[in-house]
Amino acid sequence: GETLDDAVGEAYDKVGRVLNLPYPGGPVLDKMAHLGKASYHLPKPLDDDSYNFSFSGLKSAVLNYLNQCQMKGEEVNRADVAASFQQSVTDVLTEHTVGAAKRLGINKVAIAGGVASNSSLRAQMEEACRKNGIEFYHPSPIFCTDNAAMIGVAGYYEYIKGIRDGWDLNAKPNLKIGER
């Protein structure tokens, strides 16, 4: 599956921004979420049987909630908003991933990328995989902080395979790893 709009990391950053958190919002929002309770009902991102994700509706729901509170003069518990947002994200990522693994008969799951350093996602994914007899792999958080590290490693493996490109190489933002 893939995202149909905002990537999950973008959603974290955008929600972090509306909560007045520093950029990038993901790591700070993750820490803040541990101080709150997932007490606000927020929609699950694209909660269907596909393998795809959509985070724009969840992001908009947080923004709308915060705007409504501001218009009514209600105080907002930012930690509870962060916890509610994070719970919606981790629920759908875990359910889609473990559900896909079970349906496809896959017994190993790996997560990578910036959001793979999220403590709640790692814990929930690990627990769901354990309950379903799926081996779970994740890199150390230090290796999840920047996609440049992932691209560098992919480039390294292409290099040791002897693959080289010329100076006429151009960027292709939607190219999949291994494609040329």
Side-chain angles (χ1 to χ4, degrees):
E2 60 188 342
T3 184
L4 302 177
D5 45 48
D6 289 346
V8 66
E10 286 179 87
Y12 265 93
D13 291 340
K14 289 175 181 177
V15 169
R17 186 173 61 234
V18 299
L19 290 174
N20 297 315
L21 301 177
Y23 182 85
V28 181
L29 196 146
D30 183 23
K31 288 177 186 164
M32 180 182 274
H34 290 289
L35 302 174
K37 296 179 191 142
S39 56
Y40 299 114
H41 175 72
L42 294 173
K44 283 189 181 179
L46 194 65
D47 191 21
D48 65 11
D49 290 334
S50 77
Y51 298 120
N52 294 323
F53 300 96
S54 173
F55 294 100
S56 65
L58 175 60
K59 177 191 65 183
S60 295
V62 171
L63 182 59
N64 290 338
Y65 173 75
L66 295 173
N67 286 337
Q68 287 174 5
C69 288
Q70 184 179 21
M71 289 183 343
K72 294 176 184 176
E74 295 175 356
E75 192 167 321
V76 173
N77 183 322
R78 295 182 331 145
D80 287 353
V81 172
S84 300
F85 169 79
Q86 183 157 277
Q87 188 66 56
S88 288
V89 170
T90 57
D91 282 351
V92 78
L93 289 175
T94 302
E95 289 167 11
H96 281 214
T97 303
V98 172
K102 287 169 55 178
R103 281 191 298 270
L104 297 171
I106 295 170
N107 63 359
K108 295 178 184 176
V109 165
I111 60 173
V115 177
S117 66
N118 181 281
S119 62
S120 293
L121 176 62
R122 292 164 81 92
Q124 190 167 329
M125 192 74 77
E126 187 167 25
E127 177 68 13
C129 286
R130 185 189 58 73
K131 283 182 178 177
N132 288 282
I134 299 169
E135 292 179 55
F136 177 60
Y137 298 92
H138 55 83
S140 173
I142 192 70
F143 298 117
C144 298
T145 59
D146 191 336
N147 282 342
M150 184 240 348
I151 296 300
V153 168
Y156 167 77
Y157 285 112
E158 294 291 298
Y159 181 80
I160 62 173
K161 286 193 272 185
I163 297 171
R164 307 289 189 278
D165 285 296
W167 291 107
D168 60 338
L169 179 67
N170 198 0
K172 296 178 185 174
N174 295 321
L175 193 67
K176 306 284 186 240
I177 300 262
E179 289 181 354
R180 302 209 36 85

